Structures are given as structure tokens and as C-alpha cells.
mmCIF file of all heavy atoms in Angstrom:
data_model
loop_
_atom_site.group_PDB
_atom_site.id
_atom_site.type_symbol
_atom_site.label_atom_id
_atom_site.label_comp_id
_atom_site.label_asym_id
_atom_site.label_seq_id
_atom_site.Cartn_x
_atom_site.Cartn_y
_atom_site.Cartn_z
ATOM 1 N N LEU A 1 -12.687 -0.147 -3.890
ATOM 2 C CA LEU A 1 -13.682 -1.159 -4.264
ATOM 3 C C LEU A 1 -13.791 -1.316 -5.778
ATOM 4 O O LEU A 1 -13.884 -2.424 -6.298
ATOM 5 C CB LEU A 1 -15.057 -0.769 -3.704
ATOM 6 C CG LEU A 1 -15.473 -1.363 -2.367
ATOM 7 C CD1 LEU A 1 -16.861 -0.865 -1.999
ATOM 8 C CD2 LEU A 1 -15.448 -2.880 -2.405
ATOM 9 N N LYS A 2 -13.768 -0.191 -6.477
ATOM 10 C CA LYS A 2 -13.861 -0.207 -7.932
ATOM 11 C C LYS A 2 -12.705 -1.001 -8.534
ATOM 12 O O LYS A 2 -12.894 -1.837 -9.427
ATOM 13 C CB LYS A 2 -13.875 1.220 -8.479
ATOM 14 C CG LYS A 2 -13.941 1.333 -10.000
ATOM 15 C CD LYS A 2 -14.057 2.801 -10.412
ATOM 16 C CE LYS A 2 -14.081 2.949 -11.932
ATOM 17 N NZ LYS A 2 -12.781 2.625 -12.556
ATOM 18 N N GLU A 3 -11.490 -0.755 -8.040
ATOM 19 C CA GLU A 3 -10.311 -1.447 -8.557
ATOM 20 C C GLU A 3 -10.370 -2.948 -8.274
ATOM 21 O O GLU A 3 -10.044 -3.771 -9.129
ATOM 22 C CB GLU A 3 -9.034 -0.852 -7.946
ATOM 23 C CG GLU A 3 -8.753 0.583 -8.355
ATOM 24 C CD GLU A 3 -8.458 0.735 -9.837
ATOM 25 O OE1 GLU A 3 -7.963 -0.239 -10.454
ATOM 26 O OE2 GLU A 3 -8.720 1.827 -10.379
ATOM 27 N N VAL A 4 -10.801 -3.297 -7.066
ATOM 28 C CA VAL A 4 -10.906 -4.715 -6.698
ATOM 29 C C VAL A 4 -11.942 -5.419 -7.574
ATOM 30 O O VAL A 4 -11.713 -6.523 -8.077
ATOM 31 C CB VAL A 4 -11.256 -4.863 -5.198
ATOM 32 C CG1 VAL A 4 -11.644 -6.309 -4.873
ATOM 33 C CG2 VAL A 4 -10.091 -4.437 -4.330
ATOM 34 N N ASN A 5 -13.091 -4.778 -7.761
ATOM 35 C CA ASN A 5 -14.155 -5.393 -8.564
ATOM 36 C C ASN A 5 -13.764 -5.543 -10.027
ATOM 37 O O ASN A 5 -14.139 -6.511 -10.685
ATOM 38 C CB ASN A 5 -15.454 -4.582 -8.444
ATOM 39 C CG ASN A 5 -16.167 -4.840 -7.136
ATOM 40 O OD1 ASN A 5 -16.074 -5.940 -6.596
ATOM 41 N ND2 ASN A 5 -16.853 -3.840 -6.626
ATOM 42 N N GLU A 6 -12.985 -4.595 -10.541
ATOM 43 C CA GLU A 6 -12.573 -4.668 -11.943
ATOM 44 C C GLU A 6 -11.482 -5.713 -12.160
ATOM 45 O O GLU A 6 -11.476 -6.425 -13.156
ATOM 46 C CB GLU A 6 -12.081 -3.293 -12.417
ATOM 47 C CG GLU A 6 -13.203 -2.299 -12.645
ATOM 48 C CD GLU A 6 -12.702 -0.949 -13.116
ATOM 49 O OE1 GLU A 6 -11.455 -0.769 -13.173
ATOM 50 O OE2 GLU A 6 -13.539 -0.077 -13.416
ATOM 51 N N ARG A 7 -10.550 -5.813 -11.219
ATOM 52 C CA ARG A 7 -9.397 -6.709 -11.400
ATOM 53 C C ARG A 7 -9.605 -8.103 -10.817
ATOM 54 O O ARG A 7 -8.941 -9.049 -11.217
ATOM 55 C CB ARG A 7 -8.151 -6.092 -10.749
ATOM 56 C CG ARG A 7 -7.776 -4.724 -11.290
ATOM 57 C CD ARG A 7 -6.420 -4.355 -10.764
ATOM 58 N NE ARG A 7 -6.104 -2.942 -10.979
ATOM 59 C CZ ARG A 7 -4.890 -2.440 -10.843
ATOM 60 N NH1 ARG A 7 -3.887 -3.226 -10.502
ATOM 61 N NH2 ARG A 7 -4.669 -1.155 -11.041
ATOM 62 N N GLY A 8 -10.492 -8.212 -9.839
ATOM 63 C CA GLY A 8 -10.682 -9.491 -9.164
ATOM 64 C C GLY A 8 -9.811 -9.614 -7.936
ATOM 65 O O GLY A 8 -10.234 -10.112 -6.902
ATOM 66 N N TYR A 9 -8.557 -9.156 -8.036
ATOM 67 C CA TYR A 9 -7.628 -9.160 -6.902
ATOM 68 C C TYR A 9 -6.623 -8.039 -7.114
ATOM 69 O O TYR A 9 -6.180 -7.792 -8.238
ATOM 70 C CB TYR A 9 -6.882 -10.500 -6.801
ATOM 71 C CG TYR A 9 -5.820 -10.507 -5.714
ATOM 72 C CD1 TYR A 9 -6.147 -10.865 -4.409
ATOM 73 C CD2 TYR A 9 -4.502 -10.156 -5.992
ATOM 74 C CE1 TYR A 9 -5.174 -10.868 -3.409
ATOM 75 C CE2 TYR A 9 -3.525 -10.156 -4.994
ATOM 76 C CZ TYR A 9 -3.875 -10.506 -3.708
ATOM 77 O OH TYR A 9 -2.921 -10.502 -2.725
ATOM 78 N N ILE A 10 -6.242 -7.378 -6.030
ATOM 79 C CA ILE A 10 -5.218 -6.345 -6.115
ATOM 80 C C ILE A 10 -4.435 -6.341 -4.803
ATOM 81 O O ILE A 10 -4.998 -6.532 -3.722
ATOM 82 C CB ILE A 10 -5.836 -4.952 -6.420
ATOM 83 C CG1 ILE A 10 -4.731 -3.925 -6.690
ATOM 84 C CG2 ILE A 10 -6.779 -4.496 -5.332
ATOM 85 C CD1 ILE A 10 -5.256 -2.634 -7.309
ATOM 86 N N SER A 11 -3.134 -6.146 -4.909
ATOM 87 C CA SER A 11 -2.280 -6.202 -3.722
ATOM 88 C C SER A 11 -2.290 -4.884 -2.963
ATOM 89 O O SER A 11 -2.615 -3.824 -3.521
ATOM 90 C CB SER A 11 -0.849 -6.551 -4.121
ATOM 91 O OG SER A 11 -0.266 -5.468 -4.836
ATOM 92 N N VAL A 12 -1.896 -4.946 -1.691
ATOM 93 C CA VAL A 12 -1.775 -3.744 -0.861
ATOM 94 C C VAL A 12 -0.757 -2.791 -1.482
ATOM 95 O O VAL A 12 -0.972 -1.575 -1.531
ATOM 96 C CB VAL A 12 -1.358 -4.131 0.572
ATOM 97 C CG1 VAL A 12 -0.964 -2.885 1.376
ATOM 98 C CG2 VAL A 12 -2.483 -4.864 1.281
ATOM 99 N N GLU A 13 0.334 -3.362 -1.980
ATOM 100 C CA GLU A 13 1.387 -2.541 -2.586
ATOM 101 C C GLU A 13 0.858 -1.738 -3.772
ATOM 102 O O GLU A 13 1.139 -0.539 -3.910
ATOM 103 C CB GLU A 13 2.535 -3.455 -3.033
ATOM 104 C CG GLU A 13 3.749 -2.708 -3.548
ATOM 105 C CD GLU A 13 4.878 -3.656 -3.917
ATOM 106 O OE1 GLU A 13 5.167 -4.570 -3.127
ATOM 107 O OE2 GLU A 13 5.455 -3.484 -5.006
ATOM 108 N N GLU A 14 0.083 -2.394 -4.635
ATOM 109 C CA GLU A 14 -0.486 -1.688 -5.790
ATOM 110 C C GLU A 14 -1.444 -0.598 -5.342
ATOM 111 O O GLU A 14 -1.472 0.504 -5.912
ATOM 112 C CB GLU A 14 -1.223 -2.684 -6.691
ATOM 113 C CG GLU A 14 -0.322 -3.612 -7.472
ATOM 114 C CD GLU A 14 -1.124 -4.618 -8.276
ATOM 115 O OE1 GLU A 14 -1.724 -5.524 -7.669
ATOM 116 O OE2 GLU A 14 -1.170 -4.487 -9.516
ATOM 117 N N LEU A 15 -2.233 -0.890 -4.318
ATOM 118 C CA LEU A 15 -3.217 0.087 -3.842
ATOM 119 C C LEU A 15 -2.551 1.300 -3.205
ATOM 120 O O LEU A 15 -3.038 2.430 -3.348
ATOM 121 C CB LEU A 15 -4.174 -0.573 -2.843
ATOM 122 C CG LEU A 15 -5.218 -1.506 -3.464
ATOM 123 C CD1 LEU A 15 -5.901 -2.341 -2.391
ATOM 124 C CD2 LEU A 15 -6.270 -0.703 -4.249
ATOM 125 N N THR A 16 -1.444 1.096 -2.515
ATOM 126 C CA THR A 16 -0.751 2.241 -1.907
ATOM 127 C C THR A 16 -0.240 3.204 -2.978
ATOM 128 O O THR A 16 -0.307 4.425 -2.815
ATOM 129 C CB THR A 16 0.431 1.784 -1.023
ATOM 130 O OG1 THR A 16 1.333 1.004 -1.806
ATOM 131 C CG2 THR A 16 -0.041 0.986 0.159
ATOM 132 N N GLU A 17 0.262 2.653 -4.084
ATOM 133 C CA GLU A 17 0.744 3.496 -5.188
ATOM 134 C C GLU A 17 -0.424 4.175 -5.902
ATOM 135 O O GLU A 17 -0.368 5.360 -6.232
ATOM 136 C CB GLU A 17 1.534 2.649 -6.176
ATOM 137 C CG GLU A 17 2.853 2.133 -5.620
ATOM 138 C CD GLU A 17 3.633 1.325 -6.639
ATOM 139 O OE1 GLU A 17 3.237 1.326 -7.825
ATOM 140 O OE2 GLU A 17 4.636 0.693 -6.258
ATOM 141 N N LEU A 18 -1.476 3.419 -6.116
ATOM 142 C CA LEU A 18 -2.620 3.915 -6.868
ATOM 143 C C LEU A 18 -3.353 5.026 -6.113
ATOM 144 O O LEU A 18 -3.765 6.042 -6.691
ATOM 145 C CB LEU A 18 -3.578 2.746 -7.136
ATOM 146 C CG LEU A 18 -4.639 2.924 -8.202
ATOM 147 C CD1 LEU A 18 -4.015 3.111 -9.579
ATOM 148 C CD2 LEU A 18 -5.560 1.723 -8.209
ATOM 149 N N LEU A 19 -3.500 4.844 -4.792
ATOM 150 C CA LEU A 19 -4.286 5.788 -3.991
ATOM 151 C C LEU A 19 -3.415 6.768 -3.217
ATOM 152 O O LEU A 19 -3.935 7.651 -2.534
ATOM 153 C CB LEU A 19 -5.191 5.010 -3.027
ATOM 154 C CG LEU A 19 -6.164 4.028 -3.701
ATOM 155 C CD1 LEU A 19 -6.962 3.268 -2.652
ATOM 156 C CD2 LEU A 19 -7.107 4.755 -4.648
ATOM 157 N N ASP A 20 -2.085 6.587 -3.315
ATOM 158 C CA ASP A 20 -1.132 7.509 -2.701
ATOM 159 C C ASP A 20 -1.356 7.672 -1.198
ATOM 160 O O ASP A 20 -1.420 8.775 -0.660
ATOM 161 C CB ASP A 20 -1.210 8.881 -3.397
ATOM 162 C CG ASP A 20 -0.005 9.755 -3.064
ATOM 163 O OD1 ASP A 20 1.057 9.188 -2.734
ATOM 164 O OD2 ASP A 20 -0.138 10.995 -3.111
ATOM 165 N N VAL A 21 -1.508 6.531 -0.526
ATOM 166 C CA VAL A 21 -1.627 6.522 0.938
ATOM 167 C C VAL A 21 -0.734 5.399 1.472
ATOM 168 O O VAL A 21 -0.205 4.601 0.706
ATOM 169 C CB VAL A 21 -3.085 6.317 1.409
ATOM 170 C CG1 VAL A 21 -3.936 7.531 1.082
ATOM 171 C CG2 VAL A 21 -3.675 5.049 0.803
ATOM 172 N N SER A 22 -0.613 5.332 2.776
ATOM 173 C CA SER A 22 0.264 4.327 3.386
ATOM 174 C C SER A 22 -0.371 2.936 3.347
ATOM 175 O O SER A 22 -1.603 2.795 3.231
ATOM 176 C CB SER A 22 0.562 4.695 4.839
ATOM 177 O OG SER A 22 -0.619 4.565 5.625
ATOM 178 N N ALA A 23 0.468 1.929 3.479
ATOM 179 C CA ALA A 23 -0.024 0.548 3.515
ATOM 180 C C ALA A 23 -0.924 0.335 4.725
ATOM 181 O O ALA A 23 -1.904 -0.415 4.661
ATOM 182 C CB ALA A 23 1.162 -0.418 3.566
ATOM 183 N N GLN A 24 -0.605 1.005 5.826
ATOM 184 C CA GLN A 24 -1.422 0.896 7.035
ATOM 185 C C GLN A 24 -2.848 1.400 6.779
ATOM 186 O O GLN A 24 -3.826 0.785 7.206
ATOM 187 C CB GLN A 24 -0.773 1.694 8.171
ATOM 188 C CG GLN A 24 -1.451 1.498 9.515
ATOM 189 C CD GLN A 24 -0.738 2.236 10.637
ATOM 190 O OE1 GLN A 24 0.127 3.065 10.379
ATOM 191 N NE2 GLN A 24 -1.089 1.940 11.861
ATOM 192 N N THR A 25 -2.962 2.519 6.052
ATOM 193 C CA THR A 25 -4.290 3.061 5.714
ATOM 194 C C THR A 25 -5.050 2.093 4.818
ATOM 195 O O THR A 25 -6.252 1.848 5.019
ATOM 196 C CB THR A 25 -4.144 4.425 5.016
ATOM 197 O OG1 THR A 25 -3.526 5.341 5.907
ATOM 198 C CG2 THR A 25 -5.505 4.979 4.593
ATOM 199 N N ILE A 26 -4.353 1.527 3.831
ATOM 200 C CA ILE A 26 -4.999 0.576 2.920
ATOM 201 C C ILE A 26 -5.508 -0.636 3.685
ATOM 202 O O ILE A 26 -6.625 -1.114 3.459
ATOM 203 C CB ILE A 26 -4.022 0.132 1.808
ATOM 204 C CG1 ILE A 26 -3.717 1.298 0.857
ATOM 205 C CG2 ILE A 26 -4.577 -1.060 1.032
ATOM 206 C CD1 ILE A 26 -4.918 1.823 0.091
#
């Protein structure tokens, strides 16, 4: 949520790398 609110938009791919979890979890 913090990343989305700061950036306005963030992709699933970026979130998987950032949070070190699978795309399915994201």
C-alpha cells in the first residue's frame, strides 16, 4: 500500500521483486 500510494501506480512485476514473493501472492 505504501509503495502504491507513493508512486500512484506500480506493476505486479515490480512488486514481486520489491517484496520478494510470487506474482500469485501479489
Side-chain angles (χ1 to χ4, degrees):
L1 265 180
K2 179 176 178 291
E3 294 295 333
V4 169
N5 283 329
E6 286 180 355
R7 302 190 193 194
Y9 175 88
I10 188 167
S11 69
V12 169
E13 186 177 314
E14 288 177 289
L15 285 167
T16 57
E17 292 182 10
L18 196 64
L19 302 177
D20 195 25
V21 291
S22 69
Q24 187 177 12
T25 298
I26 292 297

